[in-house]
Amino acid sequence: MELKKNLAKHRLSVFMSVLWAGGGFLLFSFILTPLLFPPVVDMWHGQRLALLVLYGGLFCALFSVALFMVSARRFPYANRYELVFSLTLTANAILVVLLALTRQYYSGKVIAAFTFFQLFWLGLEMFYRVHFVEYRFAVFPARIKLTPEDFPEYKVSFAYSELEMDERAFDAVIVEDETMLDREWTKRLASCRAAKIPVVPLTVFLENSWGRIPVEILNGEPDVSVAYSSHYLMVKKFIDKVLAAIGIVLTLPLMAILAVLVRVTSGSPVMYKQRRCGVDNRVFVIYKFRTMEKNRGEAAKVTRFGATMRRYHLDELPQLFNVLKGDLSLVGPRPETPELSEIYRRNIPYYGLRTRVEQGVVGWALIHQGNVAGIEDTAVKLSYDIYYLKHASLFLDLYIMLKSVWIVLFGVEKLKTPNCLGVFRSK
């Protein structure tokens, strides 16, 4: 293998990322700041040390995120916008806390503006890497065949033969099972590790490239207790109650108008109530504005006004009361009816994992697929839900809520994900 080519490629990537981060800091400090915050610029004449501390912190916040991303950039799945979002918010939140604890001067407006600028600036670099950079992977002997078509979001190529690996530089090694490798392949793997080339298990690569965990790649039930720690649950429930109460206050006039319009356009009842399975399969009643014609049984159709509400998810606003009652969380797997839940439990492995945590108004599967039905689509939905259960965090919850707002405004197109049963093709 041409290990020197691999090292040179990685060093060039690091240099370009550092150069981009440095250019962004200079742009914000010496061009945008004078335009946006003249009073802060005036402080250079009398409080230069205070501003040096503030801008030193901003410099560290930007470069810490950029360098962290560089360390994982050999993988396409590291180039996900939610990663930039969570890392940027974390770095700048830590900066504010440190400045406050050390009683240093800081401007909330400057830090807020810098946070938005940092998201934009690093997002531009990520956009380039997602759409224009090709990622090359060496796949050591495995029972499956990966193709670029399985990863439509990225430009990727895979090398399987020794000749292909020797002719081209690659970003990482994918290994299904190291115990399957013979002596020669084991030596090649050791050489890669010595050259600091990342070695990633196949299951981890698929999980993070797709943002979902198909049940076919699970080695037993995943441990969701790692993500769902007691501290996370405590903060999550507090945020749920606060945001639900605020949401109800803000949308109560809108809900009153929607109730009147439902009554005028299709009569009563205004509300639709349905039994759903919550955490630990506890059955509760979910609230929605009625969008279907009444008293039509299975032949019922969506009303014209109901279709408008569904388009913008306005029919689900009453679920804020479910959150306030504790039936739902704001973010989590979407609850199913007891009847459908039982069918899916019998036909889809690990389906019961979904109800080990609180169900949600919005979720990771919802922002990727939208509403789905049927065994196959529900199996794909489960793969997204399992990914969320394994990686749940406050930042991921925040990203899901913001992405849900975007979807309400602009809609969601069901992504073309690899078929959950057909992706494992023999070579």
Side-chain angles (χ1 to χ4, degrees), residues 95 107 162 166 168 177 226 230-231 300 306 353 414:
L95 172 61
S107 168
E162 299 179 34
D166 289 336
R168 304 177 68 189
D177 185 354
V226 176
S230 58
H231 295 91
L353 286 173
K414 187 176 178 181

Side-chain angles (χ1 to χ4, degrees), residues 258 261-262 265-266 288-293 301-316:
L258 292 174
L261 291 175
V262 172
T265 57
S266 60
K288 300 174 69 174
F289 284 117
R290 184 168 58 84
T291 59
M292 306 283 288
E293 295 177 349
K301 298 180 180 180
V302 179
T303 64
R304 182 174 298 180
F305 182 64
T308 301
M309 286 197 297
R310 286 190 175 190
R311 166 67 179 80
Y312 296 101
H313 296 270
L314 296 176
D315 58 316
E316 297 178 357

Side-chain angles (χ1 to χ4, degrees), residues 331-347:
V331 180
R334 284 293 292 164
E336 294 284 2
T337 64
E339 296 76 17
L340 283 176
S341 183
E342 182 59 30
I343 293 173
Y344 295 148
R345 195 184 305 275
R346 291 198 303 265
N347 291 277

